[in-house]
Amino acid sequence: MARKAHHAGAINRRGFIKAGILAGGLTAVASGRKRGGSHPELVDPKLAPHDHSGHGSAGTVGDVDHAANGFDPSELLYDWDFGTVSTLPSGQTLREYEITASDKDIEVAPGVFFPAWVYNGRVPGPTLRAVEGDRVRIEFTNAGSHPHTIHFHGIHAASMDGVPGVGAGNIEPGHSTVYEFDALPMGCHLYHCHTLPLKRHIHKGLYGAFVIDPDPNRYSGEEVEIAKSRNHQFPENRSVNEMVMLMNAFDTNFDGGNEIYAVNTVAFAYMNRPIQIRRDQLQRLYLINITEFDPINSMHLHANFFDYYDHGTTLRPTLKTVDTIMQAQAQRGILEFSYEGYEPGLYMFHAHVSEFAELGWMGFFDVVE
């Protein structure tokens, strides 16, 4: 892929990696606004504060201010938005949501600020969760400085498609609209702005996960119990640890190539604070790729294997016993795995493109008794 010429003094992502290698770890590129006006510093890897693994001592120097960001990657893992629930006269469940688009600077690595466009003040936006067949109603308000929409991956009428020239089309700043449709099909889906230029509106942060649980009443035989385990309304689901991760990236110098890679926005978030999980519990991970400027992203699980449900639209795995999955932009799926019988400890996961991993897309599961 051709790259635009860099302005004088800019640090491209190759230089970003080189700086990290020379330091024995990754430094945050000074881009845009900087905390206290100072540049993030390089440190000796032996002194790196978050060296959990000895895996090249990769990581960032310092900490991101999650409170100032208004969201914390550790909380985004489990932050499901079930909407305001009521029942329509027909007996159908109605779930109502409110989503607002706005402009907001966010910190994507220590001292690295990105001028984002956000849904509900965060990147990614809220993880909407419904049940197969529910009526979903989203009141969307554009409080930003540019036209925006919401396009949902799923089944809906053309008038609800959230693209320019169809239905409500672009929603201008200061205006609102309502998207309404039935939640179909079950699975791991997403939503994003579809205003042109599309790559800008997605890359700037206007996207989020949209999970539709299967309705056990629509299935028979063994699939009823499987559906219950994936439906948040049933006790069978509560025995599973469910997480959501969106693979994303940020072009901090706007040269058409990413300098920061992450899951749930903040570089090395789950390396600095590993995700604690029980070794005897089934793990279910809703994984979505929304990376711009790179054709493929991936996830690799260390020392373990998982079953994969492509798009999450099946109750049985579409791939069994794999340890790496590739996704193009907007592809998604469900990973299921367990560490039962494993010794407790830190187990790595990361993109299996070394460049992405070295620039922030790397983390750990902290497996405990």
Side-chain angles (χ1 to χ4, degrees), residues 261-310:
Y261 290 84
V263 280
N264 294 343
T265 301
V266 176
F268 296 112
Y270 305 121
M271 193 168 113
N272 294 343
R273 287 189 293 167
I275 302 166
Q276 189 173 98
I277 59 176
R278 292 203 334 253
R279 69 173 180 171
D280 62 344
Q281 186 176 30
L282 177 64
Q283 308 298 316
R284 179 176 294 138
L285 173 60
Y286 296 85
L287 181 71
I288 299 170
N289 179 28
I290 197 64
T291 307
E292 194 59 81
F293 306 126
D294 291 284
I296 298 291
N297 208 329
S298 61
M299 178 171 178
H300 167 57
L301 195 62
H302 273 219
N304 205 345
F305 286 75
F306 54 84
D307 290 343
Y308 186 70
Y309 301 74
D310 186 21

Side-chain angles (χ1 to χ4, degrees), residues 113-134:
F113 291 83
F114 181 78
W117 296 339
V118 299
Y119 287 134
N120 287 10
R122 48 181 269 185
V123 179
T127 298
L128 309 185
R129 190 161 182 177
V131 174
E132 186 177 15
D134 288 351

Side-chain angles (χ1 to χ4, degrees), residues 28-39:
V29 170
S31 172
R33 181 163 56 90
K34 309 165 190 73
R35 188 185 315 281
S38 61
H39 291 256

Side-chain angles (χ1 to χ4, degrees), residues 39-75:
H39 291 256
E41 62 178 310
L42 296 166
V43 298
D44 186 292
K46 296 185 290 295
L47 303 178
H50 301 301
D51 181 15
H52 295 293
S53 68
H55 195 277
S57 298
T60 45
V61 180
D63 295 296
V64 166
D65 189 339
H66 302 303
N69 267 352
F71 61 89
D72 185 329
S74 295
E75 296 173 0

